[in-house]
Amino acid sequence: MVRGNATSTKGHPIPPAPSRLWTALRLLPLAVWLIFYKASQSVPDHVRSSIDVATLPWVEYTLFGWLFGGYPHQVFDGHHSTLADVLAAMVYTVHFVAPLLFVVWLYRRHSCAAVVNFAFALGILNLVAEAFHFLYPTAPPWYFEMHGTFPASYAHAGHPAGLRRLDVAFNMHFFTPMYMKSPVVFGAFPSLHAGWPFLIAIFTPSLGKIMWVHVAWVSWAALYLHHHFLLDVLGGWAFAYVSAVLAVGRMPGKRPSVPVLPVGATNGTCLIPSRTLNTKRIQTMWRAFWGTFHAKPVRQPGRFLEV
């Protein structure tokens, strides 16, 4: 496959394929986060950091109490409805799917380099946030409302908070057991529920306001359901912003490092599939992505060749 001086059907220069070392290093934070996330659950409670139950509520009220007449997440109290509960549950419960769908979109419309850059930013965000949760665990709003500033214990089970209303309304037992088994109960700040959509939004300037609507939707749900303070949401945004800048050296949305390619165009690393994804195309995408680890670019006069 010819790379380097090749162009897409719109005349954009095609970026060379990422090297194995470049790809591996950028995927490393994501891999370390997955290992750390699993290993941290096995750490005995007596050696963990004490849980802070008072700082977030105090700072929250000090900064925003005058503006909202209380805690920001309590603004929605008294305005609950089944429709609002369903809308909040829809986006809040399945938020973990968004990065996976976004990776597919990046693969189709940009390049493997763009996918790896996003994975690098996501890995930084998750790793730093998880380290923060582990070293400085903080209680969410529902704990503060149920127990005040009474010292928290790691033996305390999770709680669905506002999502419990749906269990009651539809006479089901879904959200309560799911959140009671949550491995991270005291990880309020920063909010990855807010951080992931924000990171996706700043990586997708071409999608315009759609992704920012998604950011607002998830952030509203986090407050409405009493799962996070406003500080947690702002912290998630800030962590995501810094992670994106560290990943690409600048804001991704200001000057994209790779052009948007038309469907069916080759980008030097991957073949952008057609709009219809089937099993065979997904397998081809997977092989092409992992092929970046085994590609051996050899410099020839005026071009790069993959052998």
Side-chain angles (χ1 to χ4, degrees):
M1 181 184 295
V2 178
R3 299 200 300 272
N5 292 336
T7 59
S8 72
T9 58
K10 289 189 177 181
H12 296 301
I14 295 173
S19 68
R20 289 178 295 171
L21 178 61
W22 183 89
T23 302
L25 289 177
R26 291 199 158 234
L27 293 178
L28 185 60
L30 200 58
V32 173
W33 164 67
L34 290 172
I35 296 172
F36 180 57
Y37 178 79
K38 187 66 177 178
S40 63
Q41 300 173 24
S42 303
V43 177
D45 293 348
H46 68 275
V47 300
R48 291 173 177 255
S49 303
S50 58
I51 303 166
D52 191 331
V53 300
T55 301
L56 280 179
W58 178 79
V59 176
E60 180 100 341
Y61 192 84
T62 302
L63 293 179
F64 307 113
W66 63 273
L67 181 61
F68 293 92
Y71 294 100
H73 66 276
Q74 294 179 338
V75 170
F76 306 106
D77 292 355
H79 302 284
H80 299 148
S81 67
T82 302
L83 176 60
D85 291 344
V86 170
L87 290 175
M90 284 172 51
V91 71
Y92 197 78
T93 306
V94 299
H95 86 108
F96 62 89
V97 179
L100 301 178
L101 297 177
F102 180 61
V103 163
V104 174
W105 182 88
L106 271 182
Y107 190 100
R108 295 176 62 191
R109 299 299 291 158
H110 289 272
S111 67
C112 282
V115 172
V116 175
N117 275 339
F118 175 73
F120 185 38
L122 185 66
I124 294 173
L125 171 60
N126 291 350
L127 184 58
V128 175
E130 180 64 24
F132 208 93
H133 294 164
F134 182 77
L135 298 174
Y136 184 61
T138 50
W142 59 260
Y143 181 91
F144 178 69
E145 291 168 358
M146 292 174 63
H147 307 287
T149 57
F150 188 82
S153 167
Y154 285 104
H156 199 292
H159 195 278
L163 290 171
R164 186 177 182 276
R165 293 192 295 269
L166 288 178
D167 280 352
V168 175
F170 294 100
N171 192 26
M172 61 182 183
H173 201 58
F174 178 73
F175 292 107
T176 299
M178 180 173 68
Y179 277 90
M180 287 184 68
K181 296 176 182 178
S182 174
V184 181
V185 178
F186 300 103
F189 182 92
S191 169
L192 287 179
H193 273 88
W196 284 8
F198 192 91
L199 184 66
I200 292 173
I202 59 181
F203 262 85
T204 53
S206 59
L207 295 181
K209 299 178 181 179
I210 296 177
M211 296 312 302
W212 292 111
V213 170
H214 180 240
V215 172
W217 188 2
V218 178
S219 301
W220 162 78
L223 297 175
Y224 175 81
L225 296 172
H226 289 201
H227 279 233
H228 287 285
F229 292 102
L230 180 57
L231 278 175
D232 306 335
V233 172
L234 297 177
W237 293 354
F239 277 53
Y241 179 92
V242 173
S243 299
V245 172
L246 290 175
V248 299
R250 59 179 178 273
M251 272 295 292
K254 288 189 174 181
R255 192 175 298 170
S257 56
V258 290
V260 176
L261 300 179
V263 174
T266 58
N267 59 13
T269 305
C270 314
L271 178 65
I272 307 300
S274 66
R275 296 186 184 278
T276 303
L277 290 177
N278 54 33
T279 304
K280 186 175 181 179
R281 289 194 179 95
I282 292 175
Q283 291 174 349
T284 301
M285 292 165 60
W286 180 257
R287 293 193 201 100
F289 177 76
W290 280 105
T292 61
F293 287 92
H294 306 290
K296 297 179 180 179
V298 178
R299 184 177 293 276
Q300 298 291 340
R303 66 179 184 177
F304 284 96
L305 296 178
E306 183 177 71
V307 295

